[in-house]
Amino acid sequence: GELAKASVVPGAALLQRLQPMVAGMDNSVLAEALASALDCAGPYLYRAAATHARAKALLELALRMKNARQLPEAIDVLVENAVTQCLPAVARARAPPEPELPPARAYVRHLLASLSEANVDRVLVKLRRLPWATDPSVGPFVLEELLRACAGRFEVLPLAASLVSGLHRVHQDVTVRWVDALLAGAHAALARPAHRRLQALQLHVRLLAELFNYRVLGTGDMFALLHAIVPTARPLPGDWYPNYAEGAPAHEE
């Protein structure tokens, strides 16, 4: 599934592999494999122009076969959830309604949604005007909304780090706790990597790097993070690495 989303494996090839799983979904192993593949790449296959028609037909077939067969309850729920979460209309209908935000938090979300180089200074001034001293919940939700605004928008990470740096000068106790929590989360994700968390981990690590550039994160913490990342790194195809063994003296037999 991840290889299909990265265009390493053709989407049509993955759909072809899913057809036997749909036909044999009464087998718990095939049902779990189908659910795992759809959970990983189903929404991508449904939205991609090249595979939309075949993916839609496959999902409709899976629902019809599920309803026609007397599947065990566990498998029935597993397949239904995996299929319906790929269909945008069904997923939106099943999603719980978002709770209404307090006015202050809605205002912060509005400010950060339009964050850009042209208005970063004005946004910082407006964030500083919030009642940080009288309302202890302001700091945590401002930084939480800032992290939310960065999701999927790597170009705003330097701007987000600039805002944290500006807030750090006035509200150091809040920003230090937030950066510590971000750092602890990155170390925990590196210790037990999960494919579903890779994009979030990449976001957090890049944000921590930008915070280091703005001197919010210390050198020791940054090097500790790098030492945790390096053992998990893998070379990409086409990368060149020097063969240090070539320069080493041959061992005598």
Side-chain angles (χ1 to χ4, degrees):
E2 294 292 343
L3 292 175
K5 290 194 290 185
S7 300
V8 177
V9 173
L14 178 58
L15 288 171
Q16 186 176 0
R17 298 297 187 278
L18 293 180
Q19 289 178 353
M21 300 181 190
V22 172
M25 69 171 61
D26 49 349
N27 184 303
S28 61
V29 176
L30 292 179
E32 291 178 3
L34 174 65
S36 178
L38 291 179
D39 184 53
C40 178
Y44 166 79
L45 295 173
Y46 185 85
R47 292 180 174 86
T51 56
H52 172 74
R54 290 187 60 184
K56 182 179 180 181
L58 183 74
L59 294 173
E60 292 175 350
L61 175 63
L63 284 178
R64 289 199 302 270
M65 295 188 68
K66 180 191 76 68
N67 294 331
R69 299 181 180 181
Q70 297 295 328
L71 300 176
E73 183 179 358
I75 296 179
D76 186 272
V77 173
L78 182 69
V79 172
E80 182 177 1
N81 290 339
V83 172
T84 54
Q85 64 95 22
C86 301
L87 305 172
V90 178
R92 283 195 298 269
R94 289 191 168 193
E98 292 190 3
E100 185 176 354
L101 296 176
R105 185 157 189 164
Y107 174 68
V108 171
R109 183 172 294 186
H110 168 73
L111 286 177
L112 298 176
S114 58
L115 184 63
S116 65
E117 292 185 5
N119 66 2
V120 62
D121 292 331
R122 293 196 300 272
V123 170
L124 176 59
V125 170
K126 293 178 179 179
L127 291 179
R128 282 179 172 175
R129 290 176 180 171
L130 294 172
W132 293 72
T134 58
D135 188 355
S137 67
V138 169
F141 80 65
V142 166
L143 296 172
E144 183 180 340
E145 289 295 330
L146 183 61
L147 188 61
R148 182 182 184 276
C150 294
R153 301 170 61 200
F154 289 108
E155 69 277 3
V156 305
L157 289 177
L159 305 179
S162 176
L163 289 178
V164 176
S165 176
L167 296 173
H168 183 71
R169 299 169 188 170
V170 184
H171 307 287
Q172 187 171 354
D173 55 336
V174 178
T175 55
V176 166
R177 287 197 299 269
W178 182 74
V179 172
D180 286 346
L182 197 65
L183 193 61
H187 279 287
L190 288 168
R192 300 187 64 180
H195 290 292
R196 293 185 181 183
R197 296 287 300 165
L198 287 180
Q199 291 182 343
L201 175 60
Q202 184 183 10
L203 171 68
H204 292 174
V205 169
R206 291 184 64 172
L207 180 56
L208 287 167
E210 294 292 347
L211 293 171
F212 172 75
N213 291 337
Y214 279 89
R215 300 184 179 181
V216 178
L217 185 66
T219 303
D221 290 329
M222 192 67 224
F223 273 100
L225 181 61
L226 290 174
H227 280 294
I229 293 174
V230 169
T232 66
R234 296 291 183 272
L236 297 174
D239 283 354
W240 179 84
Y241 291 89
N243 187 359
Y244 295 103
E246 292 177 358
H251 293 285
E252 296 182 0
E253 296 183 359

